[in-house]
Amino acid sequence: MTDDANDLETLVGEWLSIPEFGDALGIPQRQARRLVDDKVVLGHRVGPNNALSVPAAFVEEDHLLTGLEGTITVLRDARLGDAEALEWLFTTDPTLPIDGSPITMLQAHRKAEVRKRASELAF
């Protein structure tokens, strides 16, 4: 694993394996894996087993974090790869209206500001 991968793993913090992700959403493992394969959510290989995992912050109670899917689409439109998009979502930004990172803003249900900033990445 590269230092960049370790940095991303640390930056995100808590990860869910695909089976854990499926359990958190109440869906079968194959359906959880499909969400990653279909680019609905971002996955990354983490840990000593290099297992495909999803940030735990992507789950809100028993469903996907509100506003996440559209935000990922905007980040993809800005041509960010999965690792770059994860880094952007989880990096603290002192210019945000609330303390934290773009994922913190999504957790506060303030997706408009996050998507505006994400769309600016394309220019």
Side-chain angles (χ1 to χ4, degrees):
M1 199 178 291
T2 67
D3 286 338
D4 290 341
N6 283 329
D7 290 345
L8 185 57
E9 188 172 340
T10 301
L11 177 66
V12 171
E14 188 179 352
W15 294 86
L16 298 173
S17 66
I18 295 301
E20 292 168 332
F21 180 55
D23 288 346
L25 296 177
I27 60 176
Q29 181 177 339
R30 70 181 177 285
Q31 194 175 350
R33 174 63 187 242
R34 186 64 170 235
L35 291 173
V36 176
D37 291 345
D38 289 348
K39 309 293 186 189
V40 173
V41 296
L42 302 169
H44 190 69
R45 296 207 172 268
V46 300
N49 295 331
N50 206 28
L52 183 62
S53 300
V54 173
F58 286 1
V59 178
E60 180 178 56
E61 296 178 21
D62 62 350
H63 58 278
L64 286 178
L65 180 63
T66 304
L68 178 66
E69 187 175 355
T71 301
I72 290 172
T73 299
V74 173
L75 292 170
R76 290 194 185 288
D77 289 348
R79 302 198 191 292
L80 267 65
D82 288 2
E84 293 169 310
L86 284 167
E87 182 177 353
W88 185 83
L89 281 167
F90 284 88
T91 299
T92 300
D93 182 349
T95 67
L96 290 172
I98 62 174
D99 288 340
S101 62
I103 199 73
T104 308
M105 291 283 291
L106 289 177
Q107 290 169 325
H109 303 284
R110 297 187 62 182
K111 68 181 179 185
E113 179 70 19
V114 173
R115 288 190 185 163
K116 176 181 170 242
R117 289 172 185 241
S119 68
E120 291 170 354
L121 296 173
F123 299 103

